[in-house]
């Protein structure tokens, strides 16, 4: 359009026959006003629309032409679609006159015959302009033109709400939304009141019905408004021509907001109810119709049924929204017991287990058997998530059905009740072969295989179960997920990459809902920690504990992960603080098959802190549980491995020997177990002072290759500290650094000093200083840096001498000045 107006500005005396086509609000009147100014500035008289509208009927074919129909005037016509036949035919004559200056603006509808003829004439002049919406850059420019403070967020909001329709852009910007947190001000909505009040009643009805959720369903609109197809088509054409309805039949967001806000409540509610009744009768989605009613005081059978049906629609994709809809159905009058089972599933999938138990309990009191069974299954899942696997299994067994008895078998196995589990596994299949039943069956078989058979087969079976569950896993309340148990099995046999892969897929797919995602994230942190990626493990620990409170099972996993990271970082204060939380976590969660990783980490931490007696009852329960299951190697090796470490820390070689022998007895069941068994033997030799450098080096390398680099580095480092052979010590220290990726420091890093430009401490002394300031003992510093306690003492003495300190207090003050607080360990 700028090209046309620029041409007139250059030579406004030249002929021009132009048609301007656009719905209301796209700037036709603004354009004509600008052209009028240009013509008047050039001395050309302008004829406006009011004068044209007064054209007498005599101007129709055969009569005298009106006085304005002359090339001497610039004739600017707005809203030509509203003119009568006489003015339109006079305009047709003028358009065909040589030298005419005529600009005609009109909407797409209505289209009287005389206007169609005029448009044909304009088309032959080849000057037709169709005005469109503003793009994002033009909206940004318009905000600046109107003197408003702009921002990217404000531009995005204006574009989203108005779709670039100029009139609505101006209306919204002039209402002065905040550029920092832009929202639609009430003043912008009130600006629609006049045009909505002056709409044809039928057109407004179509727009309001569309705003309430009828969308582009022609059948619904006809039935709702009592219109035949022609009348409805005319009303929609009129709505499109007004600019309030897009060409595809959708409403601009700001228009929808205005229609809902400015329409009388009783008219809106009546139309809404009738629309819902039609949708309930004909089928189709109810969510668009009832979602706007959430939080409003509506009641009655129609609304209650609609809320409940909408909740069923979204339960699979958005459990929190489903829970909200079911609550609205109850408030609207739906009997609570009829909704209880569905509400229980929705809130549990959303992460609210307390509410889930309450609703499940209500459902189990229902007169309908199906509600009782559904309620029992939800309650059983919650009990499992809280560590009560035996109670959960009993409830699943009572509920019956293929998925339930499979979940019962998993619970019995986790509680150490092998006979009950095998009885459940052999129960008859009394239901259809659904995807869920198949996944549950593979899930149970995989757990059973992990106890009675091959770790490799167990992992394969659980992985298949997880894949089967992916399409619907986020819609089903589960006691645990195949991905979580597959990850545990993988971690117990050293397949850390497989563990993380299974967990990532489950996280991405939302398997098990919100509460399961937290478990998956924490377990992924465990896998990262065990393979030595402490940064990834800390990130997952933070993500998994970002919302509180944690359920007992997740709290146990999170606390164990926190202890493990503190231990691997040599951070004694954090270890002590985490142990205080761990003491409560282990009390809240009974020992079961799936909690042995945290229990093992607790065992080592307790030994480090001199509190081993506290764990004795729990370790006895774990020992009994594993014995009842036949001491399955997959589940026993990791616990014995951790108990070896605990015994070494406590310097109890006799106790360490017991667990080393237990690990050795399982060595033939899996290559990973053989690596652990060899390393355990070397640890025992290190404990007793019988260090074989070559054997220790080989065991450390094997641990690293098996995915346990921290354990391998620690074995080599501890052996180096305890050996009396200087050459062997240096070789083992190099091995520890190589495993940790620190080989670049060289074999002789212990003897070199590289003074930093900004400090009087060498690089190694600075590391020692940071750890001394953190409160670690010489022995702990040596373990962390893979040097001996004597070497740490040597570095501290060198620092005292270099800094001229007479006592330890002076040294600590000097070190605090040299090492900023943010850099201390």
């Amino acid at each position: 359009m700028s090209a046309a107006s620029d041409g007139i500005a250059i030579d406004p005396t030249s002929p021009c026959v132009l048609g301007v086509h656009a719905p209301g609000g796209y700037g036709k009147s603004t354009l004509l006003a600008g052209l009028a100014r240009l013509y008047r500035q050039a001395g050309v008289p302008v004829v406006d629309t009011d004068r044209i509208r007064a054209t007498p009927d005599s101007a129709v074919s055969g009569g005298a032409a009106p006085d304005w129909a002359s090339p001497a005037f610039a004739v600017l016509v707005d809203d030509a679609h509203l003119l009568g036949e006489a003015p339109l035919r006079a305009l047709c004559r003028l358009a065909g006159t040589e030298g005419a200056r005529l600009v005609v603006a009109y909407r797409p509808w209505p289209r009287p015959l005389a206007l169609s003829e005029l448009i044909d004439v304009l088309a032959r002049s080849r000057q037709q302009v169709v005005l469109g919406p503003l793009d994002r850059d033009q909206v940004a420019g318009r905000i600046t033109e109107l003197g408003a403070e702009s921002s990217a967020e404000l531009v995005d909001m204006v574009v989203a709400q108005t779709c670039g329709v100029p009139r609505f852009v101006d209306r919204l910007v002039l209402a002065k939304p905040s550029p920092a947190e832009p929202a639609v001000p009430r003043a912008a909505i009130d600006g629609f009141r006049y045009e909505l009040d002056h709409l044809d009643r039928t057109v407004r009805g179509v727009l309001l019905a569309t705003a309430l959720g009828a969308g582009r369903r022609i059948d619904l609109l006809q039935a709702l408004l009592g219109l035949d197809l022609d009348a409805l088509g005319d009303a929609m054409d009129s709505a499109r021509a007004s600019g309030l309805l897009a060409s595809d039949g959708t409403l601009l967001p700001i228009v929808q907001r205005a229609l809902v806000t400015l329409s009388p409540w009783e008219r809106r509610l009546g139309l809404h109810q009738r629309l819902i009744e039609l949708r309930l009768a004909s089928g189709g989605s109810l969510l668009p119709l009832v979602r706007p009613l959430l939080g409003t005081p509506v009641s009655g059978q129609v609304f209650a049924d609609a809320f409940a049906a909408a909740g069923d629609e979204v339960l699979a994709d958005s459990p929190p929204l489903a829970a909200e809809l079911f609550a609205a159905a109850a408030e609207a009058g739906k009997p609570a017991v009829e909704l209880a089972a569905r509400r229980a599933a929705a809130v549990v999938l959303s992460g609210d287990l307390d509410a889930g138990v309450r609703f499940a309990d209500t459902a189990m009191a229902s007169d309908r058997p199906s509600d009782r069974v559904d309620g029992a299954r939800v309650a059983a899942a919650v009990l499992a998530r809280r560590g009560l696997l035996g109670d959960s299994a009993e409830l699943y067994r009572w509920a019956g059905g293929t998925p339930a008895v499979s979940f019962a078998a998993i619970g019995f196995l986790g509680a150490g009740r092998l006979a009950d589990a095998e009885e459940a596994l052999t129960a008859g299949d009394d239901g259809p072969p659904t995807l869920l039943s198949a996944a549950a069956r593979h899930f149970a078989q995989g757990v059973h295989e992990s106890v009675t058979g091959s770790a490799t087969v167990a992992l394969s079976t659980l992985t298949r179960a997880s894949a089967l569950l992916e399409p619907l896993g986020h819609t089903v309340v589960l006691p645990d997920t195949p991905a979580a148990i597959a990850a545990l099995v993988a971690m117990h046999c050293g397949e850390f990459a497989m563990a993380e892969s299974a967990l990532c897929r489950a996280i991405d797919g939302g398997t098990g809902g919100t509460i399961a995602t937290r478990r998956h994230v924490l377990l992924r942190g465990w896998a990262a920690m065990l393979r030595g990626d402490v940064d990834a493990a800390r990130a997952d620990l933070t993500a998994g504990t970002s919302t509180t409170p944690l359920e007992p099972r997740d709290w146990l996993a999170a606390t164990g992960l926190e202890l493990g990271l503190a231990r691997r970082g040599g951070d004694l204060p954090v270890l002590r603080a985490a142990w205080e939380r761990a003491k409560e976590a282990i009390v809240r969660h009974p020992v079961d098959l799936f909690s042995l990783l945290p229990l093992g980490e607790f065992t080592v931490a307790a030994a480090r802190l001199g509190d081993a007696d506290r764990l004795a009852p729990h370790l006895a329960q774990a020992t009994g549980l594993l014995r009842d299951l036949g001491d399955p190697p997959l589940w026993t090796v990791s616990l014995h491995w951790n108990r070896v470490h605990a015994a070494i820390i406590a310097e109890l070689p006799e106790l360490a020997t017991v667990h080393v022998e237990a690990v050795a007895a399982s060595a033939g069941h899996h290559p990973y177990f053989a690596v652990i068994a060899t390393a355990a033997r070397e640890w025992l030799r290190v404990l007793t002072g019988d260090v074989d450098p070559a054997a220790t080096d080989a065991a450390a390398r094997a641990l690293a290759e098996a995915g346990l680099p921290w354990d391998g580095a620690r074995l080599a480092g501890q052996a180096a500290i305890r050996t009396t052979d200087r050459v062997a010590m240096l070789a083992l220290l190099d091995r520890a650094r190589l495993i940790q990726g620190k080989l670049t420091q060289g074999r002789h890093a212990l003897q070199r000093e590289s003074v930093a430009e900004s400090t009087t401490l060498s690089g190694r002394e600075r590391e020692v200083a940071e750890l001394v300031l953190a409160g670690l003992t010489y022995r702990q510093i040596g373990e962390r840096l893979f040097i001996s306690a004597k070497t740490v003492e040597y570095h501290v003495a060198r620092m005292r001498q270099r800094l001229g300190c007479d006592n330890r207090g002076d040294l600590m003050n000097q070190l605090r000045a040299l090492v900023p607080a943010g850099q201390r360990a």
Side-chain angles (χ1 to χ4, degrees):
M1 190 61 236
S2 60
S5 58
D6 288 347
I8 295 169
I10 292 170
D11 185 8
T13 61
S14 64
C16 174
V17 177
L18 180 67
V20 181
H21 172 112
Y26 281 72
K28 300 185 299 299
S29 299
T30 301
L31 172 64
L32 291 177
L35 294 178
R37 285 193 299 273
L38 293 174
Y39 276 121
R40 289 187 177 109
Q41 289 169 4
V44 178
V46 175
V47 176
D48 61 18
T49 307
D50 289 338
R51 185 173 173 186
I52 296 166
R53 189 175 288 113
T55 301
D57 292 342
S58 60
V60 181
S61 180
D67 58 355
W68 51 260
S70 163
F73 297 97
V75 180
L76 306 181
V77 187
D78 199 3
D79 289 335
H81 55 282
L82 299 178
L83 295 178
E85 184 179 3
L88 288 171
R89 295 202 178 280
L91 290 171
C92 280
R93 289 182 181 178
L94 177 60
T97 302
E98 185 177 354
R101 286 171 287 196
L102 172 65
V103 180
V104 180
Y106 56 92
R107 292 184 178 184
W109 194 92
R111 185 69 63 85
L113 179 60
L115 178 59
S116 295
E117 293 175 357
L118 173 60
I119 292 171
D120 288 342
V121 175
L122 295 173
R124 287 196 293 273
S125 73
R126 297 185 179 179
Q127 294 215 37
Q128 284 272 54
V129 173
V130 178
L131 298 182
L134 305 179
D135 61 25
R136 192 181 187 281
D137 290 340
Q138 290 171 323
V139 168
R142 186 58 182 159
I143 292 173
T144 303
E145 288 174 15
L146 293 172
E149 182 183 351
S150 187
S151 69
E153 293 78 11
L154 178 60
V155 174
D156 289 340
M157 186 274 286
V158 172
V159 171
Q161 287 290 324
T162 67
C163 298
V165 175
R167 181 172 72 211
F168 303 148
V169 169
D170 288 5
R171 182 174 296 166
L172 181 50
V173 172
L174 292 172
K176 299 181 179 179
S178 165
E181 296 181 5
V184 178
R186 177 58 192 246
I189 299 302
D190 289 338
F192 284 87
R193 191 178 298 278
Y194 177 83
E195 59 194 298
L196 293 181
D197 286 346
H198 287 77
L199 282 175
D200 175 83
R201 182 180 179 85
T202 302
V203 174
R204 180 161 182 167
V206 168
L207 290 173
L208 181 56
T210 303
L212 294 178
R216 290 171 287 183
R217 286 283 301 273
I218 300 300
D219 55 337
L220 283 179
L221 290 171
Q222 282 187 269
L224 185 65
L225 302 173
L227 301 173
D228 62 29
L229 194 56
D230 288 339
L232 178 61
D234 287 346
M236 295 189 72
D237 285 341
S238 179
R240 290 189 185 94
S242 70
L244 299 171
L245 189 70
S247 59
D248 63 356
T250 58
L251 280 172
L252 278 61
I254 194 170
V255 175
Q256 181 172 19
R257 189 186 296 252
L259 283 161
V260 172
T261 303
L262 300 177
S263 297
W265 165 255
E266 62 279 2
R267 172 170 172 73
R268 183 157 40 99
L269 187 61
L271 197 62
H272 223 139
Q273 181 169 343
R274 177 62 181 144
L275 192 54
I276 289 171
E277 289 171 346
L278 290 169
R279 184 60 61 85
L280 283 170
S282 63
S285 176
L286 282 154
L287 182 63
L289 299 182
V290 302
R291 191 169 189 173
L293 294 175
L294 286 171
T296 62
V298 297
S299 61
Q301 189 66 41
V302 171
F303 293 112
D305 289 345
F307 280 128
D312 291 334
E313 282 181 42
V314 300
L315 181 57
D317 298 319
S318 179
L321 177 57
E324 192 176 356
L325 289 162
F326 291 141
E331 291 174 5
K334 196 81 168 175
V337 71
E338 292 184 20
L339 293 166
R342 287 177 281 177
R343 293 183 76 178
V347 297
V348 168
L349 287 170
S350 303
D352 189 348
L353 300 194
D354 289 337
V357 169
R358 291 197 301 272
F359 290 132
D361 196 56
T362 300
M364 285 190 286
S366 171
D367 293 333
R368 296 192 299 186
S370 60
D371 284 347
R372 292 198 299 272
V373 168
D374 290 343
R377 289 174 176 172
V378 173
V382 173
L383 291 175
R385 291 178 181 276
R386 289 183 165 170
L388 302 173
L389 293 184
D391 295 333
S392 168
E394 293 288 3
L395 199 49
Y396 270 126
R397 183 159 60 179
W398 176 85
T402 303
V405 296
S406 295
F407 294 148
I410 295 167
F412 285 134
L413 287 165
R417 295 163 58 176
L418 183 57
D420 287 328
E422 291 178 339
E423 180 183 345
L425 283 170
T426 57
D429 188 349
D430 60 353
T434 64
L435 193 61
L436 176 60
S437 64
R441 186 169 58 253
H442 282 286
F443 190 0
Q445 289 169 348
V447 178
H448 183 258
E449 182 69 23
S450 75
V451 170
T452 63
S454 160
T456 302
V457 175
L459 186 54
S460 176
T461 306
L462 288 166
T463 302
R464 287 198 300 272
S466 185
L468 281 172
L469 203 57
E470 282 179 3
L472 71 162
H474 62 288
T475 71
V476 181
V477 179
L478 301 168
D480 208 336
T481 67
I485 304 301
L488 286 174
V489 168
M491 284 188 273
H492 276 278
C493 64
E495 298 286 356
F496 302 112
M498 291 189 66
E500 290 187 84
S501 175
L503 293 167
C504 287
R505 286 179 67 93
I507 291 167
D508 293 342
T511 302
T514 301
I515 195 71
T517 296
R518 176 186 291 168
R519 175 158 170 77
H520 294 148
V521 169
L522 290 171
L523 288 177
R524 186 175 63 183
W526 268 92
M529 180 183 73
L530 292 175
R531 63 173 173 77
D533 190 346
V534 294
D535 291 335
R538 285 196 183 97
D540 280 339
L541 175 61
T542 300
T545 56
S546 59
T547 56
T548 54
L550 297 178
E551 290 298 325
R553 182 168 62 186
D554 293 333
W555 191 14
L556 191 76
T559 309
L561 182 54
E562 187 179 11
L563 285 170
L565 289 170
R567 180 166 71 91
R568 285 159 176 79
D571 196 332
L572 192 60
V574 173
L575 190 70
R576 287 197 181 102
W579 178 241
E580 291 303 312
R581 291 185 286 275
K583 289 188 293 188
E584 184 177 352
I586 194 66
V587 170
R588 289 185 60 194
H589 190 286
V591 172
D592 63 41
L593 187 66
F594 311 128
S595 64
L596 297 181
L597 280 179
L599 180 61
E601 198 60 55
F602 287 5
T603 303
V604 181
R608 174 62 54 85
L609 298 172
D611 201 9
D613 290 344
R614 185 181 298 275
L615 277 184
H618 305 287
L619 290 171
Q621 291 175 26
T623 300
L625 184 148
L626 291 168
R627 184 178 57 248
D628 292 341
L629 293 173
D631 286 321
L634 175 69
W635 299 100
T636 58
V637 167
S638 65
L639 184 59
H640 285 302
W641 172 242
N642 281 303
R643 297 190 73 174
V644 168
H645 285 290
I648 289 170
I649 290 170
E651 298 192 350
L652 298 172
E654 296 83 2
L655 181 59
T657 300
V658 172
H659 297 294
V660 168
E661 291 174 352
V663 173
S666 300
H669 290 274
H670 194 280
Y672 178 76
F673 303 158
V675 171
I676 296 294
T678 301
R681 283 195 300 271
E682 292 308 313
W683 263 113
L684 185 57
R685 295 179 65 179
V686 168
L687 176 61
T688 58
D690 179 20
V691 178
D692 181 337
T696 303
D697 182 83
R701 281 189 291 110
L703 281 172
E705 291 167 1
L708 298 173
W710 185 84
D711 294 83
R714 187 164 179 269
L715 173 57
Q718 286 295 307
I721 291 171
R722 293 172 186 265
T723 186
T724 58
D725 183 335
R726 179 71 174 174
V727 174
M729 180 189 75
L730 293 176
L732 288 167
L733 287 175
D734 273 348
R735 174 59 60 194
R737 294 190 188 99
L738 176 60
I739 292 173
Q740 293 284 61
K742 297 180 179 179
L743 187 59
T744 54
Q745 296 180 12
R747 278 179 57 96
H748 305 293
L750 294 177
Q751 301 168 354
R752 292 201 307 261
E753 293 181 358
S754 174
V755 180
E757 294 179 2
S758 60
T759 176
T760 58
L761 300 179
S762 71
R764 175 61 78 188
E765 286 171 348
R766 191 175 185 83
E767 290 178 326
V768 172
E770 292 172 359
L771 298 173
V772 167
L773 290 171
L776 274 66
T777 66
Y778 290 172
R779 179 180 174 184
Q780 291 166 344
I781 295 171
E783 290 179 359
R784 185 160 179 177
L785 298 180
F786 304 113
I787 58 179
S788 69
K790 284 287 186 184
T791 304
V792 176
E793 185 179 359
Y794 165 78
H795 282 301
V796 172
R798 283 287 302 249
M799 287 188 285
R800 283 185 61 177
Q801 181 182 10
R802 180 177 300 170
L803 298 174
C805 300
D806 295 328
N807 53 53
R808 183 175 174 80
D810 288 342
L811 175 65
M812 297 297 283
N813 289 333
Q814 291 269 24
L815 293 181
R816 289 189 188 99
L818 289 171
V819 182
Q823 297 179 14
R824 297 174 195 167

